[in-house]
Amino acid sequence: MLISNSFFVMIYDISIPLSVNTELYPGDRPFKLSWESELKAGLGFALSSFEMSSHFGTHIDAPSHFIKGGLTIAELPPDIFYGPAIVIDCQGDYKAISSSMIAPFLVYGASTRILIKTMDKDKYLTSDAVDAIISSGCKLLGIDQLCLEEPEDDSFPVHKALLSAGISIIECLDLSRVSSGQYLYSGAPLPIVGAEAAPVRAFLID
């Protein structure tokens, strides 16, 4: 959803709507919405419940996802979820996203929150790109894919390197209406005690 107002501020909703049609990471629990009470049944109020993986749809991975003793979702400092962000467009006919593609766009301050636009399913970060991101002072890295690892690599080196460095990860963003550049980011996960991940409603403000 795209919103504008009289002050010419553009607010981009970069979250993916959650439904049974939302793409699911292989092996994760399917999404299910159930109704405990429905207005159409004449019960006086609507009340729903839902089941889903903590990594379903647009979500944030905390360090405890892979790092023993790492911060859980509810322990993450709130300041990383609001402030300057930079979107880096990495669309193209290639799969590996290297340091040379992203380092020139890392900006002091804005690099605390980096969002990578791929419009692809199988792009992945190389080790030198991960090093550049860590060196930039990033605390929140996002991507518009189910996963930012190289396909078929089940050792998850990118997750482990970023989370070890204290960088939380947002996956399954919708960056289709957003151009590369600097924005204001706003979007925090649900503070589920002890969880390693949680859904997030994320926005970019231009």
Side-chain angles (χ1 to χ4, degrees):
M1 182 171 64
L2 177 63
I3 307 171
S4 64
N5 62 31
S6 58
F7 295 100
F8 301 103
V9 173
M10 305 299 290
I11 303 177
Y12 299 89
D13 187 340
I14 56 172
S15 308
I16 295 175
L18 305 181
S19 77
V20 294
N21 298 316
T22 304
E23 189 174 8
L24 184 70
Y25 189 82
D28 279 1
R29 178 188 296 272
F31 177 82
K32 180 181 179 181
L33 178 68
S34 303
W35 290 98
E36 314 301 328
S37 178
E38 296 185 75
L39 289 172
K40 66 182 182 181
L43 298 177
F45 60 91
L47 177 64
S48 64
S49 64
F50 56 86
E51 297 178 29
M52 57 185 272
S53 164
S54 57
H55 298 264
F56 181 69
T58 306
H59 66 277
I60 292 180
D61 293 346
S64 62
H65 183 29
F66 277 102
I67 309 305
K68 186 176 181 179
L71 293 178
T72 63
I73 279 291
E75 294 172 332
L76 293 174
D79 60 303
I80 68 175
F81 302 123
Y82 181 84
I86 186 166
V87 174
I88 302 176
D89 193 332
C90 290
Q91 296 181 79
D93 188 22
Y94 54 85
K95 293 302 180 183
I97 300 174
S98 66
S99 173
S100 63
M101 298 175 186
I102 63 173
F105 301 99
L106 300 183
V107 179
Y108 180 77
S111 295
T112 301
R113 302 161 196 87
I114 301 170
L115 308 181
I116 298 177
K117 178 177 180 177
T118 68
M119 301 302 292
D120 199 342
K121 290 185 176 182
D122 298 322
K123 281 189 167 63
Y124 63 93
L125 297 174
T126 61
S127 59
D128 64 316
V130 172
D131 290 341
I133 290 167
I134 294 173
S135 297
S136 74
C138 179
K139 294 300 180 184
L140 189 65
L141 176 70
I143 197 164
D144 57 351
Q145 299 183 173
L146 286 173
C147 186
L148 41 64
E149 302 283 354
E150 183 174 0
E152 310 305 327
D153 188 343
D154 57 4
S155 64
F156 299 97
V158 176
H159 276 78
K160 291 176 181 176
L162 293 172
L163 296 173
S164 292
I167 300 174
S168 297
I169 300 168
I170 313 177
E171 292 169 317
C172 300
L173 290 167
D174 178 5
L175 299 175
S176 60
R177 297 177 298 276
V178 179
S179 302
S180 58
Q182 296 184 50
Y183 298 85
L184 183 65
Y185 171 87
S186 177
L190 296 174
I192 304 172
V193 175
E196 84 298 339
V200 60
R201 184 77 180 269
F203 301 91
L204 287 178
I205 304 166
D206 187 3

